Amino acid sequence: AAPDGILVVDENRQIAFFNRRFSELWQIPSDIIARNSDRQLLHHVLSQLAQPEEFIAKVNYLYQNPTEISRDEIVFQDGRFFERYSSPIRSNAGEYYGRIWYFRNITERKQREEALRLIVEGTAAQTGVEFFRSCVRYLAEVLQVRYAWIAEFTSDLKDRVNTLAFWTGNNF
């Protein structure tokens, strides 16, 4: 039931544990997981990434620097985004046992951020009526809908509205 995909790799870079969410997020076939090899797993996931060189460089850096803790974002070719967190696993005496990796799908959050950025960019220079027109147009574009409407309540009972802007898909 964890929202995160979890992968634990031992000091020899062998898979020690993973949860079901991990294999779901990464769309990993069961035969690759069954081989228990971190290297084969890396080979599979690299083909999905927008920046595989950056990904593998970070993985190698973390294995070469076992005390490092890392948090970053991964971009996929299909438009998905994952947040990646990794930290070393150590005994109470400080002995290195391996590394734990957490992955969380943050695609929806990144899409909302991009939508807000587009709306702000499209409306920042506008004032008055043009602001509302620009706002409904970008809102429709971001939400991928044909119509968008902005109105304000004109009575205390909130039973009447005044239309400020209406986008019909190709004009106001």
Side-chain angles (χ1 to χ4, degrees):
D4 297 334
I6 301 170
L7 172 69
V8 178
V9 178
D10 69 18
E11 69 276 8
N12 298 313
R13 294 179 75 164
Q14 296 298 306
I15 297 170
F17 170 83
F18 66 93
N19 67 354
R20 186 177 73 224
R21 184 70 176 139
F22 172 78
S23 56
E24 290 170 355
L25 285 171
W26 285 95
Q27 304 167 356
I28 301 169
S30 57
D31 63 315
I32 290 177
I33 289 287
R35 291 185 193 131
N36 208 32
S37 169
D38 184 48
R39 292 185 195 283
Q40 290 176 340
L41 184 62
L42 275 173
H43 180 71
H44 172 75
V45 301
L46 288 175
S47 65
Q48 300 178 54
L49 304 177
Q51 301 163 329
E53 301 84 14
E54 183 180 305
F55 180 90
I56 196 69
K58 183 65 170 252
V59 168
N60 288 332
Y61 172 81
L62 291 172
Y63 280 129
Q64 292 167 5
N65 297 277
T67 60
E68 292 287 323
I69 295 173
S70 174
R71 175 171 279 142
D72 57 344
E73 292 179 358
I74 302 167
V75 181
F76 285 72
Q77 292 175 5
D78 65 6
R80 290 180 295 153
F81 290 86
F82 285 3
E83 182 176 65
R84 171 177 58 185
Y85 173 80
S86 181
S87 70
I89 302 171
R90 298 194 169 280
S91 69
N92 289 340
E95 187 178 352
Y96 179 74
Y97 288 138
R99 183 163 283 281
I100 189 164
W101 305 84
Y102 297 92
F103 300 93
R104 180 172 288 178
N105 188 337
I106 59 167
T107 304
E108 287 184 24
R109 183 183 86 201
K110 295 298 278 186
Q111 289 171 339
R112 286 191 304 266
E113 289 171 2
E114 178 65 8
L116 288 173
R117 186 188 65 74
L118 286 172
I119 290 170
V120 167
E121 281 182 9
T123 60
Q126 307 298 326
T127 59
V129 171
E130 287 306 312
F131 168 81
F132 292 111
R133 285 184 169 194
S134 187
C135 191
V136 292
R137 180 176 180 200
Y138 282 101
L139 209 76
E141 184 177 317
V142 165
L143 296 174
Q144 298 178 354
V145 295
R146 184 170 177 179
Y147 303 103
W149 174 53
I150 295 179
E152 65 180 340
F153 287 111
T154 58
S155 72
D156 291 337
L157 296 175
K158 297 188 179 183
D159 61 350
R160 292 178 175 248
V161 294
N162 178 38
T163 300
L164 300 172
F166 185 82
W167 178 252
T168 66
N170 54 12
N171 61 28
F172 297 99

